[in-house]
C-alpha cells in the first residue's frame, strides 16, 4: 500500500519554494511569469512614488527582469536553464507583459504622487 504522504502531488506554487524538485517547462514558465509580474508591479509603484523619471528606469527594469528570474531558477531552485531551452525560452512572453505592467504602474503612480 502506498503512503499518502509520498504519493501526494506537489502543486506548482509549493514547488516554487522548494529546492530540487522535478520541473516541467510549462510549470517553470508559469512561475517565472508571475514572478516577473510581481516584480514589475512593485518596481513600477516604487519608481512612481519616489518620482524617478527617464531612461535609467527602463534600463534598471530590463536588467532586473532578466536577472531576478535567472538568479531564482539557478541559485534558489537549482535548475540548469539549458535543460529548458535557454534563458529566453523560459522568459518567453513574460518580459513584454512585465514591461507593460511596469510602465502602467510607474506612470500611474508618478501622475498621482508627483505631478
Amino acid at each position: 500500500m502506498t503512503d499518502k504522504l509520498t504519493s501526494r502531488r506537489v502543486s506548482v506554487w509549493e514547488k516554487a519554494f522548494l529546492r530540487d524538485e522535478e520541473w516541467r517547462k510549462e510549470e517553470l514558465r508559469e512561475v517565472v511569469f508571475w514572478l516577473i509580474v510581481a516584480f514589475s508591479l512593485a518596481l513600477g509603484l516604487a519608481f512612481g512614488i519616489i518620482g524617478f523619471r527617464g531612461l535609467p528606469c527602463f534600463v534598471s527594469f530590463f536588467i532586473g527582469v532578466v536577472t531576478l528570474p535567472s538568479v531564482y531558477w539557478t541559485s534558489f531552485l537549482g535548475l540548469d536553464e539549458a535543460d529548458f531551452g535557454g534563458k529566453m525560452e523560459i522568459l518567453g512572453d513574460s518580459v513584454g507583459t512585465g514591461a507593460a505592467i511596469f510602465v502602467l504602474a510607474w506612470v500611474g503612480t508618478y501622475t498621482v504622487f508627483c505631478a
Side-chain angles (χ1 to χ4, degrees):
M1 179 173 232
T2 308
D3 187 4
K4 287 184 180 180
L5 292 176
T6 58
S7 65
R8 184 173 92 74
R9 182 166 155 75
V10 178
S11 78
V12 173
W13 298 109
E14 289 173 319
K15 283 171 52 171
F17 297 103
L18 299 174
R19 195 170 166 80
D20 298 325
E21 290 289 324
E22 283 291 320
W23 284 88
R24 289 180 306 148
K25 184 176 177 178
E26 299 80 29
E27 292 174 334
L28 182 61
R29 284 183 61 150
E30 179 181 354
V31 170
V32 167
F33 173 83
W34 288 109
L35 177 68
I36 289 174
V37 166
F39 173 75
S40 302
L41 182 62
L43 194 66
L45 292 173
F47 281 4
I49 291 170
I50 295 170
F52 289 157
R53 299 183 307 178
L55 186 61
C57 294
F58 279 113
V59 172
S60 62
F61 165 75
F62 283 110
I63 289 171
V65 84
V66 171
T67 304
L68 178 70
S70 181
V71 168
Y72 169 71
W73 73 63
T74 56
S75 297
F76 183 74
L77 294 179
L79 300 175
D80 183 15
E81 62 190 31
D83 295 339
F84 297 92
K87 184 178 296 197
M88 293 313 294
E89 184 66 29
I90 298 170
L91 291 175
D93 300 328
S94 305
V95 176
T97 304
I101 291 170
F102 168 73
V103 170
L104 287 172
W106 178 28
V107 170
T109 55
Y110 183 87
T111 303
V112 169
F113 290 104
C114 299

